[in-house]
């Protein structure tokens, strides 16, 4: 059963069929009850009409044996105030539902002697306006049928209060209800079959693009070709939006994987040079101890250590590490990073920010290292508040950054020509780390031309 309902089409078809079935059963029941009520009411009206006609004859003084009780083959009983049957239809063989089971008069025909049990509610010759109805059965000339009985009281002079019971057959009502029920029992399954079939076809057509998306995603997973895209149906519904979102996700995943590949390749390239240099120095030192360049080996080791730390930090940032929410004074942090550096001028006003003090300290340190590396003589640093933002500006009087390279300098392992040497330039990760940290803290990091003609890096962070 679970496997049979394992598809959306099957569940949608079953759900629609069940809902329609419940609605049809409820509607059919209401129709049958309404039909029976209306037809039963008509039978009651016919029975009441017959009872009032007999009551009118009795009020006019017609004797019991002169009453027309066999018209329309409807059972009629006349009961006196003592509950005795005084007149009945000749062809009546059996009756139930009127409270009087007798079918033959219990007094001789024409005998008007009866106990006067009149309570004074009716005047002689008056027919009661109220009528009561009951359901029962009767056998007339051997035909057994169900009837709707109407009971009408009439006050007859010298006979007291008489009650006339007249019945109208319910066969027509039962036949109509039975026919309607038969039509429903035949039509409802056919209608449910049509609903199930239409729902199955409609859902298949609606879900066909989803199957295409699933198949293409399975093919992409098998081939590992992230350049492929899922088909987008020519519609404006949820499936089309799903396909477009899936393609956007694939594009982002492709870009992420490609960036990761470039990162690994660049990292391998950057690590190869210091490792090869360090190995060469150690091999030479092993063979000729007097030629060992200890300072160079230490320098290469420090460079490897810094590069490993940068790569680890980038890996944590790429993994989505969220900065801590501690609050601290950004101006104090800038002063700490500028302490001991030559040629720096710092103008900092107290501005509190929230985030990782370690990561933001690394950001500021990278900006200061970059400025000192390219400055001719001086580096200026300022910290101030602008509205809801804390602004840190680091400027130098060097050659600046060409307009065409002002975004490229923030890419990983990118070094401009002036910074490509091992002695003067780093691995090309400092500014990339700085921007990633700024973005993680909800800020921005940009570069433009400084007043002195060099580069001016501007960091903006939210205060709250």
């Amino acid at each position: 059963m679970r496997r049979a309902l394992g598809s959306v089409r099957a569940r949608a078809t079953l759900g629609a069929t069940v809902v329609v079935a419940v609605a049809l059963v409820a509607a059919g029941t209401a129709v049958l009850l309404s039909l029976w009520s209306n037809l039963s009411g008509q039978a009651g009206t016919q029975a009441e009409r017959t009872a009032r006609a007999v009551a009118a004859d009795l009020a006019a003084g017609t004797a019991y044996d002169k009453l027309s009780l066999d018209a329309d083959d409807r059972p009629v009983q006349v009961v006196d105030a003592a509950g005795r049957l005084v007149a009945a239809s000749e062809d009546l063989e059996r009756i139930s539902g009127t409270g009087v089971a007798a079918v033959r008069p219990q007094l001789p025909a024409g005998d008007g002697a009866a106990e006067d049990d009149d309570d004074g509610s009716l005047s002689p010759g008056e027919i009661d306006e109220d009528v009561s109805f009951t359901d029962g059965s009767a056998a007339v000339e051997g035909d057994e049928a169900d009837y709707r009985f109407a009971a009408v009281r009439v006050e007859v002079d010298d006979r007291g209060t008489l009650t006339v019971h007249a019945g109208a057959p319910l066969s027509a009502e039962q036949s109509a209800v039975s026919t309607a029920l038969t039509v429903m029992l035949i039509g409802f399954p056919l209608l449910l079959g049509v609903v199930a079939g239409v729902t199955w076809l409609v859902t298949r057509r609606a879900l066909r693009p989803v199957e295409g998306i699933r198949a293409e995603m399975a093919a992409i997973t098998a081939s590992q070709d992230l350049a492929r895209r899922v088909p987008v149906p020519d519609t404006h519904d949820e499936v089309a939006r799903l396909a477009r979102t899936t393609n956007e996700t694939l594009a982002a995943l492709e870009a992420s994987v490609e960036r990761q590949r470039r990162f690994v390749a660049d990292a391998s390239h950057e690590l190869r040079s210091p490792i090869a240099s360090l190995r060469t120095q150690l091999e030479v030192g092993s063979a000729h101890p007097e030629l060992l360049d200890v300072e160079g080996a230490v320098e290469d080791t420090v460079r490897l250590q810094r590069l490993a730390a940068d790569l680890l930090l980038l890996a944590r940032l790429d993994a989505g590490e969220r900065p801590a929410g501690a609050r601290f004074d950004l101006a104090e942090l800038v002063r700490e990073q500028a302490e001991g550096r030559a040629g720096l001028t710092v103008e900092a006003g107290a501005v509190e920010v929230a985030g990782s003090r370690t990561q933001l300290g690394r950001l500021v340190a990278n900006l200061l290292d970059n400025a000192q590396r390219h400055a001719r003589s001086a580096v200026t640093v300022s910290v101030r508040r602008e509205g809801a933002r804390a602004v840190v500006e680091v400027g130098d009087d060097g050659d600046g950054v060409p307009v065409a390279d002002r975004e490229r300098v923030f890419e990983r392992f990118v070094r401009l020509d002036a910074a490509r040497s091992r002695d003067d330039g780093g691995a090309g990760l400092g500014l990339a780390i700085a921007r990633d940290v700024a973005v993680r803290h909800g800020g921005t990091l940009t570069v433009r031309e400084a007043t002195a003609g060099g580069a001016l890096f501007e960091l903006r962070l939210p205060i709250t």
Side-chain angles (χ1 to χ4, degrees):
M1 182 65 177
R2 182 175 299 177
R3 178 176 297 178
L5 298 178
S7 67
V8 175
R9 291 173 59 193
R11 292 195 294 270
T13 301
L14 178 62
T17 304
V18 169
V19 170
V20 173
V22 172
L24 288 177
V25 170
T29 302
V31 169
L32 291 178
L33 292 176
S34 177
L35 179 62
W36 173 261
S37 178
N38 291 335
L39 295 178
S40 180
Q42 294 179 7
T45 301
Q46 295 174 359
E48 181 183 0
R49 187 180 300 115
T50 301
R52 290 192 180 279
V54 174
D57 291 341
L58 290 172
T62 303
Y64 296 140
D65 55 355
K66 301 297 183 182
L67 295 173
S68 299
L69 303 182
D70 296 315
D72 301 328
D73 295 330
R74 294 176 181 174
V76 177
Q77 289 179 307
V78 180
V79 181
D80 64 9
R84 293 173 297 187
L85 181 67
V86 295
S89 301
E90 288 186 10
D91 298 328
L92 183 62
E93 299 174 359
R94 189 188 63 79
I95 191 170
S96 65
T98 63
V100 181
V103 296
R104 293 290 176 264
Q106 297 170 334
L107 292 176
D111 188 354
E115 296 181 11
D116 189 359
D117 194 24
D118 187 7
D119 58 2
S121 59
L122 297 175
S123 302
E126 182 182 358
I127 301 175
D128 196 353
E129 294 293 333
D130 296 331
V131 59
S132 60
F133 296 98
T134 57
D135 292 329
S137 62
V140 180
E141 293 184 341
D143 295 331
E144 182 82 16
D146 294 328
Y147 287 86
R148 180 78 164 168
F149 293 102
V152 177
R153 294 193 310 151
V154 58
E155 185 71 23
V156 180
D157 193 18
D158 76 11
R159 295 189 228 182
T161 302
L162 303 177
T163 302
V164 180
H165 297 276
L170 295 174
S171 56
E173 290 78 359
Q174 293 174 341
S175 176
V177 173
S178 177
T179 301
L181 180 60
T182 301
V183 170
M184 290 180 182
L185 292 178
I186 296 176
F188 282 8
L190 296 177
L191 182 58
L192 290 177
V194 171
V195 170
V198 171
T199 304
W200 181 266
L201 294 176
V202 170
T203 52
R204 182 179 68 177
R205 182 173 182 179
L207 295 177
R208 186 177 300 162
V210 177
E211 177 60 24
I213 295 173
R214 186 209 63 79
E216 185 62 24
M217 287 296 294
I220 292 173
T221 303
S223 65
Q224 297 184 353
D225 183 6
L226 296 178
R228 298 173 61 173
R229 297 293 181 265
V230 300
V232 179
D234 188 17
T235 58
H236 301 283
D237 55 9
E238 292 82 355
V239 178
R241 292 196 291 272
L242 171 64
R244 287 191 290 270
T245 303
T246 302
N247 285 336
E248 292 172 359
T249 302
L250 287 173
L253 182 60
E254 181 186 14
S256 176
V257 171
E258 183 61 28
R259 185 176 67 174
Q260 192 68 20
R261 288 173 180 170
R262 289 198 307 267
F263 177 77
V264 172
D266 292 338
S268 301
H269 177 74
E270 292 294 332
L271 289 171
R272 186 182 295 116
S273 296
I275 290 177
S277 175
L278 183 59
R279 177 179 178 179
T280 300
Q281 295 180 59
L282 292 176
E283 289 177 347
V284 170
S286 177
H288 305 282
E290 70 278 4
L291 299 179
L292 177 62
D293 184 6
V294 177
E295 293 183 0
V298 171
E299 183 179 340
D300 285 335
T301 303
V302 171
R303 184 182 177 196
L304 280 174
Q305 184 180 10
R306 290 177 179 175
L307 183 56
D310 288 343
L311 293 176
L312 179 60
L313 178 56
L314 284 174
R316 284 167 28 203
L317 293 175
D318 288 341
E321 180 180 289
R322 300 183 63 86
R327 298 186 62 83
F328 56 89
D329 186 0
L330 183 60
E332 181 181 351
L333 177 66
V334 171
R335 293 191 189 95
E336 290 178 1
Q337 295 298 327
E339 186 176 357
R341 295 176 182 262
L344 263 65
T345 302
V346 180
E347 296 180 3
V351 181
E352 278 197 352
V353 295
S356 170
R357 184 183 178 90
T358 302
Q359 291 184 9
L360 289 176
R362 182 65 176 277
L363 185 160
V364 174
N366 288 355
L367 293 181
L368 295 178
D369 290 342
N370 180 77
Q372 286 186 309
R373 183 179 300 120
H374 296 91
R376 290 190 177 91
S377 59
V379 175
T380 60
V381 183
S382 67
V383 181
R384 66 182 185 276
R385 174 173 181 168
E386 288 187 3
R389 293 273 174 173
V391 180
V392 178
E393 291 182 343
V394 179
D396 61 69
D397 57 356
D399 295 330
V401 180
V403 176
D405 296 326
R406 288 180 180 175
E407 279 299 316
R408 200 166 68 89
V409 294
F410 294 108
E411 296 179 5
R412 298 176 182 182
F413 298 104
V414 170
R415 290 173 293 181
L416 302 185
D417 292 338
R420 287 192 178 273
S421 69
R422 171 180 145 181
D423 296 332
D424 295 335
L429 293 177
L431 295 180
I433 291 175
R435 171 165 277 188
D436 282 353
V437 171
V439 171
R440 293 291 179 185
H441 285 76
T444 59
L445 178 61
T446 58
V447 60
R448 65 177 188 272
E449 186 177 353
T451 305
L456 179 66
F457 287 84
E458 182 182 79
L459 170 66
R460 290 181 173 268
L461 295 174
I463 291 179
T464 56

